[in-house]
Amino acid sequence: MMRGLMIIAVVMTSVGFLLSMSHPVAFASMKGALIRAADQTLKAKPARAVEIARSDSGEFSLRAKINGVSTPMVIDTGATSVVLTYETAKAAGLPLELLDYSVDVETAGGRVRAARLTLDRLSIGKLVERSVPALVVPRGQMKTNLLGMSFLDRLESWGVQADRLKLHGYPDVSGRNRRDRTAIN
């Protein structure tokens, strides 16, 4: 995108110079129009943000969508990765038959072997991330899906204030269609 803007800038500068020499009034009009167009193009959309209230048990629980499938999750800043239960991974249509459970994971319930995979899409409210690294544990090894650092590290910032967890994504400057963003359910 930057390369395209640079090419347009060079071409417009050249045309502007030639126009300013031969038609100064037309140049002034075109200059104003270009400045307005550049302002509209370069303005970033507001940052995407989600707030989650602390539950009575002290956790930050939420509903996320994994590949479009809604599922409960708990924020776990101590988890290096997003960790899914076997049941959630199956519901999300992930290729469980191809997984290799070769990653040692220490959970609250003890040691377990997990399998690495990549989630096509993980969304929490207005926050949408693609190609998110994750782990899946075998059937019955965990009861809760964990939203770990492989998702949180992609955010601009996150923090807790007054029993509310605030997640802030980077402003959307991609120009993607609004349908690509998901509202919190």
Side-chain angles (χ1 to χ4, degrees):
M1 178 161 161
M2 287 304 290
R3 177 186 252 176
L5 289 175
M6 291 295 289
I7 291 170
I8 290 171
V10 169
V11 169
M12 295 309 291
T13 302
S14 301
V15 170
F17 176 74
L18 294 173
L19 187 59
S20 71
M21 299 301 277
S22 59
H23 303 292
V25 174
F27 173 74
S29 175
M30 185 158 100
K31 177 180 158 189
L34 284 174
I35 289 172
R36 286 188 300 278
D39 283 347
Q40 291 297 324
T41 302
L42 297 177
K43 280 185 183 174
K45 294 179 179 136
R48 300 164 294 143
V50 172
E51 283 191 27
I52 303 156
R54 187 185 308 262
S55 70
D56 292 337
S57 64
E59 298 175 331
F60 292 103
S61 302
L62 56 97
R63 290 209 66 84
K65 286 192 176 180
I66 297 171
N67 298 345
V69 175
S70 182
T71 188
M73 298 191 88
V74 172
I75 302 270
D76 186 348
T77 59
T80 355
S81 182
V82 169
V83 184
L84 303 178
T85 65
Y86 180 91
E87 294 75 14
T88 296
K90 184 175 181 179
L94 299 173
L96 299 176
E97 63 280 353
L98 303 175
L99 298 180
D100 177 22
Y101 292 89
S102 60
V103 180
D104 287 324
V105 177
E106 190 69 38
T107 70
R111 267 207 145 116
V112 67
R113 307 267 290 168
R116 292 184 200 281
L117 52 74
T118 301
L119 305 176
D120 292 333
R121 178 182 163 119
L122 174 57
S123 60
I124 299 165
K126 297 175 185 176
L127 304 174
V128 179
E129 292 295 328
R130 297 185 180 280
S131 300
V132 178
L135 297 171
V136 175
V137 296
R139 185 186 319 261
Q141 294 297 310
M142 278 180 38
K143 295 178 183 171
T144 307
N145 299 298
L146 304 177
L147 188 70
M149 296 307 292
S150 63
F151 179 84
L152 297 173
D153 278 343
R154 293 171 170 233
L155 302 177
E156 182 174 30
S157 66
W158 54 271
V160 177
Q161 288 182 322
D163 286 334
R164 298 193 68 77
L165 175 66
K166 297 179 182 185
L167 306 173
H168 294 275
Y170 287 98
D172 182 9
V173 293
S174 68
R176 284 183 287 166
N177 190 321
R178 287 187 176 273
R179 288 180 294 154
D180 202 27
R181 295 184 211 119
T182 310
I184 204 160
N185 294 330

